[in-house]
Amino acid sequence: MNDSAVPADDLDADTHVDGSGTAAAAASTAPSRKRPKPGERRVQILQALAAMLEQPGAERITTAALAARLEVSEAALYRHFASKAQMFEALIEFIEQSLFTLANQILEREPDPARQVARVLALVLQFGEKNPGMSRVIAGEALAFEHERLGARMNQCLDRLESLLRQSYRALADARGSTTPTVDAQAGASTALALILGRLQRFVRTGFKRLPTEHFDAEMRLLLA
C-alpha cells in the first residue's frame, strides 16, 4: 500500500496582480498542495496504527498520538473511522483476509493432512513474525484495554482458525486409522492453536526478539508424531 496523492483543486488561472500575470506565473511554479486519493487516508491511518503497535513495550495507543503521527487533527481521523475500536476492527479484518485466503488455498492444494497442519501453522507464525504489530493484536495484548468487542472479534477469528485445523487433524486421524478421530482432531487443533498463541505471546513479551518460527521444524515433528 504505497502512499500516493493527487493535486488539490487548481488555483484560479485568471488570478493576477495589476494585469501583469505575476501571481499566475508564481502559481504555475509553486509546488501544488497534495491531498490523498479517496480511501487512501483510511489506509494511511491503519498503516500508522500498525506501525505504532510495532514499538516494543508500546503503551495504549490514543487517537491523539495517532493523529500526531500522521500530522492531522483527531477530527480528521473520525472522518474515516467512527472510533478507535473501528480502526482495530479494520486491522482484524486485514488479519483474517490475509490468513484465511492463503490457509484455504493450502487445504485445497495440499493432499497430505499433516503437511496441511504444518503449512498453516507456518503461515500464521510467519505472518506474525513479519508483522509484529499484528502479533500483538492476534495475541490479544494490544486489545487488553480496548473495547471488549474487539477481544470477542479476535476470538472469533481464532475459533475459525482452530476449526480449519480441526479439519486437517480429522483427516490425519482417519488416515492413521484412529478409533477416536473426533477426539483426536479436537485435541490436535487445540494444541496447535495453543502453540500459535504461545509463540506470538512470547514474541511480544520479549520485545519481538524471540521469533515465532524458532525451532519450527522440530516442534512440528513433536506435534504431528
Side-chain angles (χ1 to χ4, degrees), residues 13-209:
D14 292 331
T15 300
H16 62 279
V17 179
D18 296 330
S20 64
T22 302
S28 66
T29 58
S32 59
R33 184 182 166 199
K34 303 292 184 180
R35 66 182 178 189
K37 294 178 181 179
E40 188 175 41
R41 177 64 77 190
R42 181 182 173 91
V43 172
Q44 291 173 345
I45 291 170
L46 294 178
Q47 288 175 331
L49 176 58
M52 292 176 75
L53 287 170
E54 291 183 3
Q55 302 304 311
E59 298 179 356
R60 183 170 183 262
I61 295 172
T62 64
T63 53
L66 181 58
R69 185 182 182 93
L70 288 163
E71 298 182 340
V72 300
S73 67
E74 288 185 72
L77 300 180
Y78 292 123
R79 283 197 289 271
H80 301 278
F81 295 95
S83 64
K84 186 174 62 170
Q86 196 175 85
M87 299 176 200
F88 274 103
E89 284 179 328
L91 288 184
I92 294 173
E93 287 175 6
F94 171 76
I95 291 169
E96 287 180 323
Q97 292 172 2
S98 300
L99 295 181
F100 288 106
T101 297
L102 295 176
N104 286 326
Q105 289 178 4
I106 289 171
L107 264 62
E108 291 171 3
R109 300 174 182 176
E110 174 57 66
D112 183 349
R115 284 184 57 79
Q116 287 177 358
V117 171
R119 291 182 63 185
V120 170
L121 264 64
L123 165 68
V124 179
L125 295 178
Q126 287 169 358
F127 175 84
E129 192 170 300
K130 293 176 181 178
N131 301 278
M134 300 302 180
S135 287
R136 292 185 63 198
V137 176
I138 297 172
E141 188 265 354
L143 307 178
F145 300 105
E146 302 298 338
H147 196 289
E148 62 182 12
R149 79 169 185 267
L150 295 173
R153 175 67 187 280
M154 193 64 241
N155 284 337
Q156 288 177 352
C157 177
L158 294 173
D159 288 343
R160 183 180 171 193
L161 178 59
E162 185 174 2
S163 177
L164 183 146
L165 288 166
R166 196 179 300 122
Q167 296 177 45
S168 297
Y169 270 105
R170 175 59 190 256
L172 182 61
D174 288 338
R176 292 176 172 176
S178 171
T179 58
T180 56
T182 300
V183 173
D184 290 354
Q186 291 174 342
S190 177
T191 303
L193 184 62
L195 171 65
I196 290 172
L197 291 176
R199 280 310 183 99
L200 294 181
Q201 287 167 352
R202 188 186 67 180
F203 185 43
V204 173
R205 189 179 68 250
T206 60
F208 308 131
K209 292 182 176 65

